Structures are given as C-alpha cells and as structure tokens.
Amino acid sequence: MGTDENKTTTTAAANAATRYTVAPGYRVNVRSGPSTQYPIVRALPLGATVAISCQKNGEWISGPYGTTRIWDNIAPGEYISDAYVRTGSDGFVAPRCA
C-alpha cells in the first residue's frame, strides 16, 4: 500500500463526486457505445444527473448544448452524448476512455 494506490483512490473518489445535469425535459437514451448505432441499454429519467468516468469521440450529435462528437461514459458499457449534458465546456471534462 503505497502512495500511488492512495492517489488512485483519491482521484477516483473526486471524479465520482462530480455530477453533471442532463438537459431539462429530455429522457436521454443510454447506449452501449459512442454512437446511435449501438443498442439502447436504458433511458435516463427526467432531471437526471450523471457522473462522467471518461469521455471519447464518437458520432456527431446535435442537442440542447450544441453539436459535438464527445460521448460521456457514465457506467461500464453506458454512453450518452455530451450534447445533452451540461458540463460547462465544449471540450473534455474527464479523462479519455481507453
């Protein structure tokens, strides 16, 4: 148990604590990958907030927060377009997904 292990735990906890609001009035489809070609795995309820574990480029999507190709990984195997998430940025706000 060295300092590196503690840093990883602290970073993971800090990332999990940041939650972002999904656009009001939208039930956003959650997909298994960063494109509308991937199957829908569930839909977020109205007023949802999400924690973004990582982000990656995928299909271009237009939504209430602009047009982007950034997709947010919100859980293992679950992606939503960043065009529906109020991150306060047009760029990446989390590490890139592997």
Side-chain angles (χ1 to χ4, degrees), residues 42-89:
R42 66 184 175 112
L44 295 176
L46 293 173
T49 61
V50 294
I52 301 171
S53 55
C54 63
Q55 295 175 298
K56 71 187 321 180
N57 285 323
E59 178 185 356
W60 285 96
I61 299 292
S62 292
Y65 298 120
T67 300
T68 184
R69 65 183 299 187
I70 298 174
W71 284 71
D72 305 331
N73 178 249
I74 60 170
E78 295 189 358
Y79 291 85
I80 60 174
S81 171
D82 197 59
Y84 289 89
V85 182
R86 186 182 181 106
T87 62
S89 171

Side-chain angles (χ1 to χ4, degrees), residues 1-54:
M1 288 193 229
T3 351
D4 290 336
E5 184 177 289
N6 291 339
K7 284 182 187 174
T8 302
T9 304
T10 303
T11 303
N15 288 345
T18 303
R19 296 192 68 84
Y20 299 96
T21 304
V22 174
Y26 289 89
R27 288 182 40 90
V28 176
N29 288 330
V30 179
R31 296 186 176 271
S32 61
S35 163
T36 58
Q37 299 303 306
Y38 285 90
I40 296 170
V41 294
R42 66 184 175 112
L44 295 176
L46 293 173
T49 61
V50 294
I52 301 171
S53 55
C54 63

